[in-house]
Amino acid sequence: MTTTSTTTRSIDTDAETEQYNETLQLLSEGSVHKHFDPYVDIDWESPAFAVTANDRRWILPAKTDPIGGHPWYRALPEDQQIAIGMWRQANVAKVGLQFENILIRGMMQYVFSLPNGSAEARYCTHESIEECNHTLMFQEMVNRVDADAPGMSRPMKILSPIIPLFATLLPELFFVGVLAGEEPIDHIQKGILRSGEEIHPIMQGVMAIHVAEEARHISFAHQLLRRRVPKMSRIGRFFLSLAFPITMRILCDVIVIPPKKFWQKFEIPKYVKDDLFWGTDESQHTLQDYFGDVRMLATETKMMNRAAKLMWTACGIDGKASRFRSEPDRSSSQFAA
Ligand SMILES: [Fe+2]
Ligand SMILES: [Fe+2]
């Protein structure tokens, strides 16, 4: 799985590298010409953004949030639906910014050893700046909506200082982890924006900015893996092909499933948690649907061998590969109407 510095130097001379560097140059220029500042582009003090009690727009959207669509949640009194909705949405933002914090540290670790003139170094630095802005934006939202949101579960917080080291030790695995976080968040946010369901303007504004910039980040991780994986040893690629779905599934659960505190605080019955994550056919379909794009990447980078396919199935995230990035799943409930 390792890529030696000799390999990296030889990469720098071939024609494919030129194309890769041109793509990164385009992404970097995209970052220069289209970027957001959370304290310039969001008018936090606008009355439309005020967070007030009993605002129905915090009720979780039924079509796009698994909790929001569950009959137990729908049957709750409105004030409880609002309280759960605020906590849930603030916590998703908190988990998102903690994930981005880890990603930034890893990216900086990766950039540290890149040579002068590296297109990767420039693009990764642009991306880290954008992620820093995302963490500011999400934290501002959390502070306004529910300052009680803890974010990730405790085991993940304990592991968080170790993960960035993988950017140096096993960069391919680190960038698989990057996609494991970015793809589900992006998929969920795009689903909510596309559905047109009413959400609070803070959520709308924050998500629109995030989706716009994430497209570049996801594109970069795909490009980097397409570039690096074919240059790995056969054995390294085989192990990565097995680690790929495991990483996707673990990090997806970390991001999507609320922490223990949530279930305790709102006294949510266990059967509801089991239904939502991922005990029903519908919730399993939702889970599989997050990963169409990465299944496409795994297939194209020859990491969908027989053993890997079994691992994707064992992880519960097998299914069709997308034909192109961000292909909507027409069979899911959010597009069924
Ligand atoms: Fe982000
Ligand atoms: Fe990102």
Side-chain angles (χ1 to χ4, degrees), residues 34-44 49 100 130 133-134 137-138 186 189 193 202-217:
K34 192 179 177 198
H35 61 268
F36 299 90
D37 181 320
Y39 292 103
V40 174
D41 297 300
I42 298 180
D43 183 4
W44 295 100
F49 274 52
E100 287 170 331
E130 287 166 7
N133 274 322
H134 295 174
M137 175 170 79
F138 285 137
D186 189 61
Q189 292 184 334
L193 293 174
I202 284 192
M203 286 295 290
Q204 182 86 28
V206 162
M207 284 197 296
I209 286 179
H210 198 246
V211 162
E213 291 195 327
E214 260 346 92
R216 270 196 300 269
H217 302 179

Side-chain angles (χ1 to χ4, degrees), residues 8 11 100 138 145 154 196 249 252 266 268 306 319 330:
T8 310
I11 288 171
E100 287 170 331
F138 285 137
V145 178
R154 190 189 289 260
R249 177 59 198 271
C252 173
F266 296 106
I268 301 176
R306 200 171 295 176
R330 300 284 163 193

Side-chain angles (χ1 to χ4, degrees), residues 79-329:
D79 61 332
Q80 279 187 52
Q81 288 190 38
I82 292 170
I84 290 176
M86 291 177 81
W87 200 97
R88 156 89 167 153
Q89 290 174 77
N91 203 63
V92 169
K94 184 73 186 181
V95 171
L97 78 90
Q98 288 168 334
F99 168 77
E100 287 170 331
N101 178 296
I102 296 170
L103 188 157
I104 294 160
R105 282 183 274 153
M107 282 270 197
M108 290 293 96
Q109 176 86 13
Y110 184 68
V111 167
F112 186 82
S113 54
L114 293 177
N116 294 333
S118 161
E120 274 187 346
R122 178 177 168 191
Y123 178 73
C124 286
T125 307
H126 281 303
E127 181 168 323
S128 301
I129 292 165
E130 287 166 7
E131 294 293 19
C132 282
N133 274 322
H134 295 174
T135 64
L136 278 172
M137 175 170 79
F138 285 137
Q139 188 63 62
E140 185 64 39
M141 179 193 144
V142 173
N143 296 347
R144 285 163 186 266
V145 178
D146 197 330
D148 184 42
M152 290 176 175
S153 60
R154 190 189 289 260
M156 196 61 198
K157 284 180 182 167
I158 293 168
L159 274 178
S160 67
I162 298 162
I163 298 170
L165 301 178
F166 281 86
T168 298
L169 300 173
L170 298 167
E172 293 85 1
L173 185 60
F174 176 77
F175 281 97
V176 164
V178 167
L179 279 179
E182 289 188 329
E183 291 275 7
I185 292 176
D186 189 61
H187 193 97
I188 291 165
Q189 292 184 334
K190 277 200 289 221
I192 294 171
L193 293 174
R194 278 172 176 167
S195 77
E197 288 184 285
E198 190 179 32
I199 50 173
H200 194 279
I202 284 192
M203 286 295 290
Q204 182 86 28
V206 162
M207 284 197 296
I209 286 179
H210 198 246
V211 162
E213 291 195 327
E214 260 346 92
R216 270 196 300 269
H217 302 179
I218 292 172
S219 171
F220 169 65
H222 279 251
Q223 295 286 343
L224 180 138
L225 288 169
R226 280 204 171 88
R227 178 94 188 114
R228 293 191 75 118
V229 170
K231 294 175 187 298
M232 293 172 76
S233 66
R234 280 172 77 94
I235 186 80
R237 191 162 64 226
F238 177 71
F239 280 116
L240 186 66
S241 75
L242 300 181
F244 197 123
I246 300 172
T247 309
M248 288 290 148
R249 177 59 198 271
I250 291 174
L251 288 185
C252 173
D253 281 358
V254 164
I255 283 165
V256 178
I257 305 177
K260 215 180 194 173
K261 189 173 176 183
F262 175 74
W263 310 100
Q264 289 170 342
K265 183 180 170 101
F266 296 106
E267 297 176 345
I268 301 176
K270 188 175 175 307
Y271 83 89
V272 177
K273 185 180 180 186
D274 292 344
D275 281 355
L276 294 169
F277 304 105
W278 311 91
T280 63
D281 286 349
E282 203 186 340
S283 61
Q284 275 174 24
H285 181 89
T286 304
L287 175 66
Q288 289 166 333
D289 193 21
Y290 293 153
F291 297 103
D293 288 6
V294 285
R295 286 191 294 266
M296 178 179 73
L297 176 68
T299 307
E300 289 175 2
T301 50
K302 302 197 170 27
M303 287 197 288
M304 209 43 113
N305 53 63
R306 200 171 295 176
K309 272 186 191 156
L310 288 173
M311 191 61 91
W312 281 86
T313 307
C315 291
I317 52 174
D318 54 319
K320 259 187 13 195
S322 301
R323 286 169 303 166
F324 52 88
R325 280 217 14 243
S326 302
E327 181 185 11
D329 177 18

Side-chain angles (χ1 to χ4, degrees), residues 15-61:
E16 279 176 18
T17 302
E18 209 173 304
Q19 203 182 348
Y20 178 65
N21 286 345
E22 269 172 31
T23 307
L24 265 50
Q25 176 79 15
L26 282 175
L27 288 172
S28 293
E29 283 166 14
S31 292
V32 172
H33 298 299
K34 192 179 177 198
H35 61 268
F36 299 90
D37 181 320
Y39 292 103
V40 174
D41 297 300
I42 298 180
D43 183 4
W44 295 100
E45 301 310 325
S46 145
F49 274 52
V51 177
T52 53
N54 302 322
D55 187 336
R56 292 195 82 254
R57 293 174 301 180
W58 288 110
I59 293 177
L60 295 168

